[in-house]
Amino acid sequence: MANRTPTPRQQTHLAVLIDADNAPPAIVEGLFEEIAKYGIASVKRIYGDWTGPQLGGWKKVLLDHSIQPIQQFAYTKGKNATDSSLIIDAMDLLYTRRFDGFCLVSSDSDFTRLAARLREEGLMVYGFGEEKTPSPFVSACDKFIYTEILRAGASEAVESGDKTQASSQDVTTSESKKPDAKTKVQKVPVDFIANVIDDIDDENGWVGLGALGQNISKLRPAFDSRLYGYKKLSDLIRSQTKRFELQLRGTSATGGEALYVRNKKADR
């Protein structure tokens, strides 16, 4: 069985499989920037019926991003042959044992069982889809990223490129303290975060921010600080000063520093 947590020296190889019928081409820039955070996109394939005009937007970006189009004719009206083709390819790639994880780009719940099957083999599964994606598919992935975030990020990057750049200090301050206005901001689930902290904290109530993020993702694969207007989990926690407190500690293992968080209580 493959190791779900590659050692730091290993390169994490990912297979990116895109359902062109259920993913907009506007996400392509943000999609591969996001995927680069998790590993190397060793395989990039996109599935659809390329004989029709409906995938014209994708055709314009395939060469720029070295995405291999896979032709799948719609043999019967109303039946999605693209899903079957993607699933078959995913299983073929799985049995090569060359990959550490898969990126499934679709808002279609038909890929729920595929995601579960890949995880059964010990591989990481990253899902990418719109906020309308059915919850069973979201829950079947190790992590799920809503593509509205990627589109908002792409729009922000284009706009920022047209404006005069602020100083690096001003940019850092702005990013850490202000919500991202381009994202449709949701209410921060402070009670949920507090419960996770209570479940895994030490005897003094502290938990490492990295461990907190990992446990949140296990419970809610679609959790993303950008959904709540913040680029990082640490920024989100800092914004909730009435509920949480942060502490910066030195680490003997790496010689660097790490953030720890705990719930604020009246008796402290």
Side-chain angles (χ1 to χ4, degrees):
M1 181 177 291
N3 184 3
R4 292 175 64 84
T5 309
T7 62
R9 294 184 180 181
Q10 291 179 328
Q11 290 183 326
T12 302
H13 292 277
L14 303 172
V16 182
L17 307 180
I18 305 171
D19 175 9
D21 296 327
N22 285 285
I27 69 170
V28 67
E29 292 284 352
L31 173 66
F32 286 105
E33 288 178 4
E34 186 73 18
I35 290 172
K37 298 177 183 178
Y38 309 116
I40 300 171
S42 301
V43 167
K44 294 182 282 187
R45 298 180 185 177
I46 185 167
Y47 301 79
D49 186 354
W50 302 99
T51 61
Q54 69 275 10
L55 300 182
W58 274 112
K59 292 177 183 178
K60 296 177 182 179
V61 300
L62 295 184
L63 289 177
D64 291 339
H65 296 274
S66 292
I67 308 172
Q68 180 185 3
I70 306 297
Q71 171 62 31
Q72 184 58 57
F73 294 100
Y75 298 114
T76 304
K77 187 175 181 179
K79 299 294 183 180
N80 195 344
T82 299
D83 294 359
S84 299
S85 180
L86 189 155
I87 292 170
I88 292 170
D89 270 13
M91 297 308 295
D92 286 342
L93 292 171
L94 167 66
Y95 292 126
T96 66
R97 307 298 180 188
R98 294 188 292 114
F99 300 95
D100 303 295
F102 280 74
C103 299
L104 305 178
V105 186
S106 179
S107 302
D108 193 338
S109 62
D110 288 347
F111 298 113
T112 301
R113 182 65 187 111
L114 173 62
R117 181 69 182 86
L118 295 171
R119 291 181 68 186
E120 288 173 3
E121 290 293 322
L123 302 184
M124 291 291 294
V125 177
Y126 303 96
F128 295 82
E130 297 178 345
E131 291 185 8
K132 67 179 182 181
T133 304
S135 58
F137 181 34
V138 174
S139 299
C141 299
D142 287 289
K143 183 171 181 60
F144 197 91
I145 298 93
Y146 289 122
T147 53
E148 285 84 355
I149 295 174
L150 306 181
R151 298 178 73 169
S155 299
E156 181 183 359
V158 171
E159 290 183 8
S160 64
D162 295 335
K163 297 178 181 178
T164 302
Q165 296 296 317
S167 67
S168 59
Q169 183 176 357
D170 292 339
V171 171
T172 301
T173 303
S174 174
E175 287 182 354
S176 62
K177 294 185 178 181
K178 295 181 180 180
D180 181 359
K182 292 295 180 181
T183 304
K184 183 180 179 181
V185 178
Q186 300 180 17
K187 183 180 179 181
V188 177
V190 288
D191 291 335
F192 166 69
I193 296 172
N195 289 335
V196 176
I197 292 173
D198 282 337
D199 288 341
I200 62 173
D201 60 5
D202 62 19
E203 62 275 10
N204 295 314
W206 292 101
V207 59
L209 191 67
L212 174 62
Q214 291 174 5
N215 279 271
I216 287 175
S217 293
K218 289 177 182 177
L219 296 170
R220 291 190 183 180
F223 181 93
D224 195 309
S225 59
R226 291 169 293 185
L227 289 172
Y228 312 104
Y230 297 92
K231 294 183 182 298
K232 299 178 181 178
L233 179 59
S234 57
D235 297 334
L236 185 152
I237 296 295
R238 286 191 182 98
S239 73
Q240 305 297 317
T241 55
K242 293 182 179 180
R243 293 295 301 271
F244 310 116
E245 57 182 307
L246 279 168
Q247 184 180 89
L248 190 63
R249 301 181 186 177
T251 59
S252 57
T254 62
E257 294 180 318
L259 283 170
Y260 283 75
V261 61
R262 72 175 177 181
N263 293 318
K264 281 188 174 179
K265 293 184 178 179
D267 57 348
R268 286 179 181 160

